[in-house]
Amino acid sequence: MTDQPSSPSSVRAEDDFDPVSALSSRFRVALSRAFSDLPDAHAAAQGADPLISPSRNRQFGDFQSNAAMPLAKVAGMPPREVAKRIIRHLDLGDLAEPITEASIAGPGFINITLRASALSRLLGVLDAPDLGLPPLPADQRRTVVVDLCGVNLAKQMHVGHLRSIIIGDCVARAIERVGHRVVRQNHVGDWGLPIAMVTDKLMRMRAGGEDIDRLDLDAIEKIYKAAQADCAADERGLAAARRWWSHPKAMAELETQVSGAREALASAKATLVKLQSGDEATRRVWQRIADTTMRECLSVCARLGADVRAEHSAGESSYADELETLVKDLLDRGVAEIDDGAVVVRVVGIEEPCIVRKSEAGGGGFLYATTDMAAIRRRVRGLGASRVVYCVDARQGLHFKQVFGAAIRAGYADLPSGEHASLEHAAFGTILGQDGRPFKTRSGENVKLTSLLNEAAARAGEAVAAKNPDLAPGEAAVIAETVGVAAIKYADLSSDRIKDYVFSFDRMLSFEGNTGPYLLYAVVRIRSIFRKAAERGIDDSASDRASFGIAAPEEKDLALALLRYPASVRAVADHLEPHRLCQYLYDLASAFSAFVTNCPVLQAPDDATRRSRLELCRLTDRVMSDGLTLLGIRPLDRM
Ligand code: ARG
């Protein structure tokens, strides 16, 4: 064994701009060489994580490696000795200041201070059109289905749909941004008995001479609720009344209610059969409900800046014809079994089996889970997905566990490679009101998304007018809408996906703190610097790019923040957690704010510094704007 430093490792292109991965790969080389004389330690070090993290205390450097501590035991030496061995084999090239024994702190942390020259070179690499996220080579590109939105026919878009739409949209954008092919699927709840009930009621209304074509979604939703009430027989009430010898008049009323409800239910069931067999008149009324619902749905999605279009709709109805054969297939191959008359698939580790067909006594119908199994089959086999991501409420967790397990058992998720597609439930928590209970209107109704967005835009309009009274009315309205929508979306996306959060207009519309308006404002601030530069005739034309000079601590912090961008987008794509990107953008905006406060840009001491700082501003704008776009938020020029 020699004590000579190893030769510099070849660094993968994608590591070039990200200090953490660049440092990690160089540490990995050192780790694999440091213990060639100690077989156990050598084996442990070979696969070890270099554990590079930003330093808590900047006085000791920019990053630290904690690799030595976990290796100390196997190597049978104090962690500081391990650290010494590592640094003897470490070659950080021109990335960092030389690492010496003085760099080892405490029990064995290795402190690393990046070189300004390295940072400016890395920024140059990041400053490419793809901002460090180049197209993937063909063999790494996957097709990913993102299941989002999932509205139900004949119901208004309410606050319960918000999260599936915007989390789904953000996750889809991030996965696309890192280079995969994304297919969005809006699994609309457009089939089954409840839909048949409202279809049936509308048909009867039309037969009674009503013009059902003029009904809007509000009206259809009322009819939907009425249809459900019509079909809900008070069987228990009647039984109790019989048992207790109720007043004859009360009995008569209950009997009428129950027989009316039984009739309505029978009629709805007949309508369902007609729908299933493609009866034209029935289908036309159903289509009318679907069109009205989807028009509203797509327009709310557009207003939310979410890319959910008509061609993404693949409703439950689109699977209806496949369910009979699917269940037969499951039974034929012994995947499903009959349990108490119902057809079920048992899944290892889950107590409740996945029911795919009700018993004869229960009506023999197919279920939500049956359709979702058909959907997995189509997504994997038909659409070619090797990953399917469901952005759906956490309360459906058991449903997805059952369906994923059953589909995998059935082989519906099998890939040509012999593995199966990865099926992931990106579950989210509930939006709560100030009282800590699910967010409702004062009268206990679901909050309509349109009214929520209207109120956000109105409140944002007031806030913007107070901040900037000189905006032209037309522009002010556009800004108010953008800020209002951004506030709602950002408050949602920035909270930990799986947790519930409390909806608060005041908090989300604040221009301070981790909010949508604060981030939009950071971009506005940068753009106003460039407007002023133009007014003063300062040339920042692209043909003559200055290099990034990194001297002040705030410049270094800003540079380090910028370089983390690609990794934070990848984190969203991998972990399906938009809040990671939000936190990143907030950190970047904060680093930018410290930078402009402490490092004058237009008033910089000399020409070269001013040009370099303008370049930092320009790159910050690009990264912020790209990141906001991934959240589905459109950056503004002024506000
Ligand atoms: N329509 C369903 C609901 O409102 C959501 C659909 C989610 N997607 C799915 N593939 N199951 O609960």
Side-chain angles (χ1 to χ4, degrees), residues 289-300:
I289 304 170
D291 291 347
T292 308
T293 311
M294 292 319 289
R295 202 176 313 122
E296 177 87 12
C297 169
L298 299 185
S299 97
V300 170

Side-chain angles (χ1 to χ4, degrees), residues 147 149-152 161 187-189 316 368 372 375 379 390-392 396 399-400:
D147 185 301
C149 190
V151 294
N152 299 311
H161 297 115
H187 194 84
V188 181
E316 294 180 14
Y368 185 44
D372 259 322
R379 289 164 182 190
Y390 292 79
C391 297
V392 184
Q396 296 195 26
H399 165 76
F400 285 113

Side-chain angles (χ1 to χ4, degrees), residues 457-475:
R459 287 176 182 246
E462 284 165 26
V464 170
K467 217 171 161 70
N468 192 349
D470 305 329
L471 291 167
E475 191 182 6

